[in-house]
Amino acid sequence: LVGVDDPARAVLQLANSETGVVQHLPEGLAFSDLTQGVGRIPFAWNWSGIRTAATSAHKIGGPKGVGVLILPEGTDLPVRLKGGGQEMGRRSGTENLIGIAGMAAAFTEAQARLAAGDWDRVAQLRDRMEAEMLDAAQGAVILGAGTKRLPNTTAIATPGWKGETQVMSMDLAGFAVSAGSACSSGKVRKSRVAEAMGLGSDLNGSVLRISLGVETSEAEVLSFVAAWSAAYRKMRARAA
């Protein structure tokens, strides 16, 4: 809860962007970032008990640069931009109507995919991928294993193999992965999330984050596992 004991003053993600771990949102939570979870797991803000929330369209296939701020009726916010009085006077400026329409369409499509069980299929692919990666790499650990997670996100720590080295190896093999959340792409510092989860320094720098989509195929997953496993064997051979 970001070091705050009182939920009414706390901020908490619905799902962690690095590990995919779905977090319990306490009743009366001041604010939650729903971006990672909405559209991938069932969620209803009016049943959640949280006070305010936000999410973004691009994470569910919508246009970039548009999102939603959810507030209880009657909430009074300070004016951010003065001018013509749009957005109930809170943020003046012409609304991005095309972005808003695209976001609405993306939410409708995301809900349909969720109801159709598309993300259940993705979770099965992720579980198979993780099992084969753990079989291939000695001492590898899945962050958040055994807890409720998003169906598409894996964070795996492999002893002795730096995360950024894995990213480069997979990039050469034609796969886009990261050594942390997408927000920290290009940064090589150790993960604060992994550190907070108790991951030792020997494993913290070796985290690889993999994200699947609803259109990811079994063949693509198996091809990735084969490339990753081959790169791991090469790393071990060089180390030996």
Side-chain angles (χ1 to χ4, degrees):
L1 291 175
V2 199
V4 178
D5 294 330
D6 181 8
R9 298 173 51 236
V11 175
L12 187 63
Q13 288 178 305
L14 171 60
N16 184 264
S17 56
E18 289 190 37
T19 65
V21 171
V22 177
Q23 304 182 96
H24 169 68
L25 303 182
E27 183 77 21
L29 181 70
F31 178 85
S32 180
D33 177 0
L34 311 176
T35 304
Q36 293 292 327
V38 166
R40 296 186 178 93
I41 58 175
F43 179 82
W45 176 76
N46 56 331
W47 295 346
S48 67
I50 59 180
R51 295 168 58 194
T52 61
T55 188
S56 182
H58 74 282
K59 280 293 182 180
I60 54 170
K64 294 182 179 179
V66 61
V68 176
L69 175 63
I70 307 171
L71 303 169
E73 187 175 358
T75 300
D76 186 22
L77 291 181
V79 177
R80 304 302 299 174
L81 289 175
K82 297 181 179 180
Q86 290 91 341
E87 303 285 0
M88 302 180 187
R90 295 166 177 157
R91 187 182 187 278
S92 292
T94 303
E95 289 90 341
N96 177 9
L97 295 180
I98 293 176
I100 293 169
M103 177 173 59
F107 275 120
T108 300
E109 177 68 14
Q111 183 61 36
R113 287 186 178 275
L114 190 61
D118 289 0
W119 288 108
D120 294 333
R121 181 192 66 82
V122 173
Q124 292 173 0
L125 279 179
R126 180 209 56 196
D127 291 346
R128 180 176 178 182
M129 178 184 71
E130 290 180 348
E132 297 201 14
M133 293 175 77
L134 291 176
D135 284 342
Q138 182 179 358
V141 176
I142 302 294
L143 275 63
T147 63
K148 185 177 181 181
R149 290 183 292 152
L150 296 177
N152 68 313
T153 304
T154 291
I156 183 170
T158 309
W161 197 10
K162 289 185 178 180
E164 57 264 31
T165 304
Q166 297 182 59
V167 171
M168 288 186 287
S169 295
M170 293 301 95
D171 181 59
L172 292 173
F175 298 96
V177 292
S178 65
S181 69
C183 306
S184 56
S185 176
K187 302 173 185 177
V188 296
R189 63 172 179 252
K190 291 183 179 180
S191 166
R192 291 181 295 177
V193 172
E195 184 179 5
M197 294 177 73
L199 210 65
S201 57
D202 57 328
L203 281 176
N204 192 336
S206 66
V207 176
L208 182 71
R209 180 185 182 272
I210 308 146
S211 183
L212 309 181
V214 288
E215 297 178 354
T216 302
S217 68
E218 180 181 12
E220 288 171 329
V221 168
L222 295 179
S223 179
F224 168 77
V225 171
W228 184 85
S229 301
Y232 173 77
R233 289 192 295 270
K234 288 181 181 179
M235 181 277 296
R236 293 284 295 176
R238 287 194 298 267

